[in-house]
Amino acid sequence: MTTRVLVLGGTGEARRLAEALVGRVHVVSSLAGRVREPLLPPGEVRVGGFGGAAGLADWLRAERIDAVVDATHPFAAVMSWSAATATAEVGVPLLALRRPGWTEGPGDVWHRVPTLTAAAEALSTWPGTPTRPAGAPALRVFLTTGRKEVGAFADLPHWFLLRSVDPPEPPTPARLTVVLDRGPFTVAGELDLLREHAIDVLVTKDSGGDQTVAKLAAARELGVPVVVVDRPAVPDTPVAATVAEAVTWVESFGGGMIQG
Ligand code: NAP
């Protein structure tokens, strides 16, 4: 019998894990279907929600899944909770592949906030904002939190630069410029972007990883302050920080691997 592994994806790590597992086990990668043209991993791919924890539990049983790796983005907490509930119910082992968050270093000017709403609140009272004289240029904010989150900032009077893979949907801030792009990004490119748009403040989730970290180095170099949204609470699941660790975990199931 071939070991059947579900990788809950939507991240670069999930793709790399699927690449590493294909040929060793039967790997099914699952994507939410948010991105119009996703970068597809090798192996079997399914797209769309399962219908909550109950739907996922049914799916795990029907597909005779032996192990699940939750390699979703650190902010995809609903899916992570659903995976924990469903795997516990079905009795399937679960590992979270979760990259560590970013840490503030010398030269960084970070303002940590617990939620996106708190990030918007922080911007609404940003130093200088309430006292800006009429006609003064708007605060220029670089939003890197993703297109789904832009609604949290819709009521703010600031000027926003949003970078996302696909265009945002309303509600959006009145003053918004969108750059469609997908990482990885370079420090030189981020420096150009921050300078070109005269960015006053950067807003980011604490996503971690190296694909989108360059913006933090660029902000540090230019003295641009950063609002960092903390990660949401996720279930207390065994965690691997790297793809290699997750491969080892899958291999620990031993028997049933595809040979060669
Ligand atoms: P979420 O809020 O945790 O999940 C909402 C619902 O979307 C889930 O309940 C589930 O629907 C479905 N879903 C999420 N991930 C799925 C997956 N990998 N396969 C199948 N269904 C999935 O997730 P999200 O924050 O919207 O993120 C959606 C996807 O984008 C995730 O795969 C994540 O890895 C990726 N992503 C998210 C972010 C981010 O900042 N949130 C950034 C980069 C990539 P059902 O309840 O119907 O099963």
Side-chain angles (χ1 to χ4, degrees):
M1 287 279 286
T2 304
T3 302
R4 295 172 63 79
V5 179
L6 171 65
V7 176
L8 295 166
T11 59
E13 286 89 341
R15 271 197 313 281
R16 290 198 294 280
L17 178 61
E19 282 162 13
L21 292 179
V22 157
R24 302 182 194 217
V25 297
H26 182 89
V27 56
V28 183
S29 294
S30 176
L31 303 177
R34 301 276 193 279
V35 177
R36 280 185 200 161
E37 291 178 25
L39 301 174
L40 291 177
E44 189 180 332
V45 178
R46 65 164 300 288
V47 181
F50 295 94
L56 177 56
D58 290 345
W59 190 92
L60 293 174
R61 284 193 194 95
E63 296 294 322
R64 294 171 287 106
I65 295 296
D66 299 301
V68 177
V69 180
D70 172 12
T72 56
H73 189 271
F75 280 74
V78 177
M79 188 69 249
S80 293
W81 284 102
S82 190
T85 305
T87 51
E89 183 188 321
V90 180
V92 169
L94 171 67
L95 177 78
L97 171 53
R98 202 167 291 134
R99 47 181 117 126
W102 290 316
T103 48
E104 189 172 0
D108 285 326
V109 185
W110 286 12
H111 303 261
R112 280 199 172 270
V113 292
T115 60
L116 279 154
T117 307
E121 279 164 17
L123 290 182
S124 70
T125 56
W126 198 254
T129 300
T131 54
R132 266 170 202 260
L139 189 77
R140 299 177 70 83
V141 183
F142 182 20
L143 268 190
T144 62
T145 48
R147 71 184 174 110
K148 279 197 321 163
E149 326 291 10
V150 69
F153 304 89
D155 294 335
L156 292 177
H158 310 316
W159 177 90
F160 288 91
L161 175 68
L162 169 74
R163 179 169 62 200
S164 55
V165 177
D166 290 320
E169 283 156 21
T172 56
R175 288 190 262 190
L176 175 70
T177 295
V178 179
V179 177
L180 297 181
D181 206 351
R182 150 161 41 204
F185 303 106
T186 63
V187 176
E190 300 293 52
L191 281 168
D192 284 350
L193 201 63
L194 292 178
R195 286 196 182 108
E196 181 191 340
H197 294 283
I199 295 300
D200 296 312
V201 54
L202 164 69
V203 183
T204 180
K205 293 173 175 173
D206 183 8
S207 299
D210 54 9
Q211 300 285 294
T212 59
V213 72
K215 62 192 170 191
L216 298 175
R220 184 184 312 128
E221 189 165 331
L222 298 179
V224 169
V226 185
V227 176
V228 180
V229 181
D230 287 336
R231 295 178 169 196
V234 285
D236 190 14
T237 306
V239 175
T242 64
V243 170
E245 283 174 41
V247 170
T248 303
W249 181 82
V250 171
E251 285 181 334
S252 72
F253 295 100
M257 298 292 173
I258 298 171
Q259 297 301 318

